[in-house]
Amino acid sequence: MGKVTGFMEIDRQVAKYQPASDRIRHFREFTIPMSDAEVTKQAARCMDCGIPYCHGPTGCPVHNQIPDWNDLVYNNKWEEAIRNLHSTNNFPEFTGRVCPAPCEEACTLNLEDAPVAIKTVEQAIADKAYELGFIAPQPATIHTGKRVAIIGSGPAGLAAAQQLGRAGHEVHVYERESKPGGLLRYGIPDFKMEKNFIDRRVEQIKGEGVTFHCGVNIGVDLPMEKLLAEHDAVIYCGGSETPRPAGIPGVDLHGVYDAMPYLVQQNRRVGRENIDSVGWPSEPILAGAKHVVVVGGGDTASDCVGTAFRQGAVKVTQLDIRPMPPEKEDKLAVWPFWATKMRTSSSQAEGAIREFQVATLEFVGDEDGQLTGVRCCQVDERRKPIAGTEFIIKADLAFIAIGFSGPSKDSVLKDLGDKLQLNVDRRGSTNVVANERDYKTSVDKLWAAGDVRRGQSLVVWAIREGRQVARAVDEALMGASVLPN
């Protein structure tokens, strides 16, 4: 423990943002990094608790050893800090930017609403490690002769690839899109995480012997049977990308879209790629000079809000069927778990109008089939419409962001369903059935991990599953494994 009285002497500080009026003019990251001295002071606030919930099951899915690397940062041991952080998390620069930080919710100091700035310190460690040249390829010294294929290069696929490459296996990653990264690259806007961070990790993984095959849609361009026949193991990390059906009348009107095509398209523009993509609409979706309505209250909805503002939307309204949460949670009732309380994202703070406890009844259009408004009403605590509360919000563009029901059904799942007996969860989703012990599916030589298995979740959960499935595969191929569990 670096400074015994640090939590009493030092106030919580986190990285600040550029003013909203400035940051909505570009798609770059807008966080203003803290100095090393400021980061060190924040690390000094860690109490080194007897039972540190921050890295237990309630706080961090990958079990980051947070008190340890806080102490190392406080003592200016950056190389040891990144080594410790990498022992549990392959990509701290990703999670340090986009994770909602359940670790901070679980921090003991959160009982006083002043948790350690864990997420800020984590990002600082990763960025400092790159700056000082501490992050380089770690190729295996012994090769096993085993071939492993990984379908999908999102956070789960990348984590599995890196772990298995370092274990000495010949790893091939197959990605449908033109560049690796999956949701990290095409779903998360650049203003939350710029894509050069993905590029440099991919270069590191390539330096560790992993081969990437982009523009290959498994199940369409390359049959699953062939992939399984040519590899000793195949890991399916395709993600969850099928939008949850909204069931709202008027969803076919021009101007109504699911959220992900909109985000993917803009990410392609920023990355100077063609907006045409497998499985996504090719017509330009732009919010400039338009009234925009976003249906949904989660992270994806918030990303649509921020993207619309940067494209020049006149007005953005976000509809959430849930009641407005309390400003402050009952600590003794919920700590150290994630609390339901009023949270305002950076995108929402840029000027969004938020409507709570409101149901979307219908998308309204003109005689030419163009969206003109969204008909809504207030709902009670059971989400039932309240009579006499209907109203219409003017809308030229509407995005549905209410979650995802499972992986794409058009490629891998279809190919496996036609030829092999892959078990999927049919209770409202098509998630691939595999347990959290060995991640094995019902198909021989096929494993599954990440959102394709557990459903829509956080990047940090995908990294955890990628690491764990890598160990499971290594153990199955070699009889034992030295990879972390």
Side-chain angles (χ1 to χ4, degrees), residues 101-362:
C103 53
E104 294 189 15
E105 290 286 305
C107 177
T108 301
L109 287 175
N110 190 39
L111 288 168
E112 298 293 331
D113 291 313
V116 175
I118 299 168
K119 180 177 174 179
T120 298
V121 176
E122 179 179 29
Q123 179 182 334
I125 293 172
D127 291 348
K128 187 72 172 178
Y130 271 109
E131 177 189 328
L132 297 177
F134 295 150
I135 298 177
Q138 300 175 32
T141 55
I142 299 175
H143 298 280
T144 65
K146 301 292 186 180
R147 285 169 53 90
V148 181
I150 298 175
I151 304 169
S153 63
L158 290 177
Q162 183 162 62
Q163 295 296 95
L164 288 167
R166 290 176 175 177
H169 302 303
E170 181 185 336
V171 181
H172 294 265
V173 179
Y174 294 87
E175 170 57 49
R176 181 189 64 192
E177 301 291 344
S178 55
K179 295 180 181 180
L183 172 73
L184 291 169
R185 184 180 297 276
Y186 294 105
I188 296 174
D190 279 63
F191 56 80
K192 289 176 69 173
M193 187 180 77
E194 294 180 18
K195 304 310 182 281
N196 60 294
F197 300 109
I198 302 171
D199 295 335
R200 67 187 184 185
R201 273 299 178 184
V202 169
E203 288 306 308
Q204 181 198 24
I205 295 170
K206 286 180 179 178
E208 294 167 350
V210 175
T211 303
F212 287 83
H213 307 270
C214 293
V216 180
N217 193 2
I218 300 297
V220 177
D221 303 323
L222 180 62
M224 277 297 300
E225 281 187 319
K226 181 176 174 63
L227 198 69
L228 287 162
E230 293 179 350
H231 295 82
D232 297 292
V234 176
I235 306 174
Y236 184 19
C237 298
S240 181
E241 56 185 336
T242 301
R244 193 179 305 280
I248 303 171
V251 73
D252 295 328
L253 288 171
H254 184 70
V256 180
Y257 300 94
D258 286 313
M260 197 50 67
Y262 177 57
L263 297 176
V264 169
Q265 196 177 98
Q266 183 56 38
N267 281 328
R268 284 182 164 277
R269 283 194 195 93
V270 174
R272 299 186 179 183
E273 295 186 60
N274 193 311
I275 64 170
D276 294 339
S277 177
V278 177
W280 306 109
S282 59
E283 81 173 280
I285 311 171
L286 295 165
K290 294 179 179 178
H291 289 73
V292 178
V293 171
V294 181
V295 180
D299 289 339
T300 302
S302 179
D303 291 345
C304 289
V305 169
T307 300
F309 278 129
R310 283 159 180 75
Q311 289 183 347
V314 173
K315 180 180 178 182
V316 180
T317 305
Q318 186 177 356
L319 307 179
D320 195 333
I321 198 170
R322 298 170 299 182
M324 180 182 289
E327 289 291 335
K328 182 177 170 60
E329 75 273 30
D330 181 351
K331 299 289 186 185
L332 296 181
V334 298
W335 182 86
F337 299 96
W338 184 261
T340 299
K341 62 181 177 182
M342 190 66 176
R343 303 174 192 270
T344 301
S345 71
S346 59
S347 293
Q348 291 163 341
E350 290 163 0
I353 298 171
R354 301 172 70 183
E355 297 280 359
F356 288 96
Q357 214 160 340
V358 166
T360 306
L361 300 178
E362 180 185 12

Side-chain angles (χ1 to χ4, degrees), residues 369-385:
Q370 173 64 48
L371 176 72
T372 59
V374 180
R375 188 164 64 89
C376 313
C377 75
Q378 295 178 2
V379 296
D380 60 22
E381 62 277 3
R382 296 182 180 179
R383 300 187 179 183
K384 301 297 182 183

